[in-house]
Amino acid sequence: EAGVAQSPRYKIIEKRQSVAFWCNPISGHATLYWYQQILGQGPKLLIQFQNNGVVDDSQLPKDRFSAERLKGVDSTLKIQPAKLEDSAVYLCASSSGSQASTDTQYFGPGTRLTVL
Amino acid sequence: GDSVTQMEGPVTLSEEAFLTINCTYTATGYPSLFWYVQYPGEGLQLLLKATKADDKGSNKGFEATYRKETTSFHLEKGSVQVSDSAVYFCALGLNNRKLIWGLGTSLAVNP
């Protein structure tokens, strides 16, 4: 079974530029998550999708971050414009959505963003 | 509210030493408990999980038992290897499919 795919793996941009990340979840997984992980910290949930609807985006900085999940499969996360403090690893995860608390999240390799 | 408290690192051990990383939680309802591992430069991988009280999760020689009476899910391994060097995260799974994460414990194993 293929895992969660993410691209690009690395991205370097200058502040005020735009950037987009792509995620392809495990086939059939209904729930998709985007996390931000700053070096030395645990993951911080940015947005959670159930199929193509948003379940939780309370920690997404909506003035600069946006995310969509068209057709309930692939997802993109965009930052526009980027700030220095956005330098982090952006992780995508998916889960089957079949059970609630026991639902296991499977993570992609992440995209390491550096904002100069 | 729901929370996870994880033993602070870094932890440094010699190869073949015994490992314990403590994790305690506060939660309402019936959460699941997870240990994830992050090897250098890689994404998070599920190491093991337990979905109800007294369940034991195990994988790659690691074990953790869901203890409701002490609200704990400590990670143990009898003999660590250099290849176990990584950051370990304890996480609480809630009914809304969210995970509450600990801060992570960095483990370095020396040959």
Side-chain angles (χ1 to χ4, degrees), chain A residues 10-12 22-23 33 69 73 90 105-106 112:
Chain A
Y10 305 91
K11 190 73 178 179
I12 300 173
W22 173 82
C23 173
Y33 311 79
R69 189 182 185 196
V73 181
Y90 291 83
Q105 295 183 25
Y106 297 89
R112 182 176 298 276

Side-chain angles (χ1 to χ4, degrees), chain A residues 9 31 33 35 37 40-43 45 48 50 56 91 95 97-105 107-109, chain B residues 30-34 36 38 41-46 49 51 89 93-99 101-104:
Chain A
R9 289 295 309 275
T31 312
Y33 311 79
Y35 289 90
Q37 187 177 23
Q41 299 182 17
L45 179 67
Q48 177 183 350
Q50 184 73 14
D56 183 357
L91 296 166
S95 66
S98 58
Q99 300 290 331
S101 66
T102 62
D103 211 16
T104 298
Q105 295 183 25
F107 286 79
Chain B
Y30 303 94
S32 292
L33 293 165
F34 301 81
Y36 280 84
Q38 190 168 34
E42 298 185 16
L44 287 154
Q45 300 176 26
L46 177 68
K49 74 176 190 181
T51 59
F89 291 91
L94 305 177
N95 282 334
N96 56 7
R97 300 190 179 87
K98 287 195 180 60
L99 289 175
W101 294 87
L103 294 180

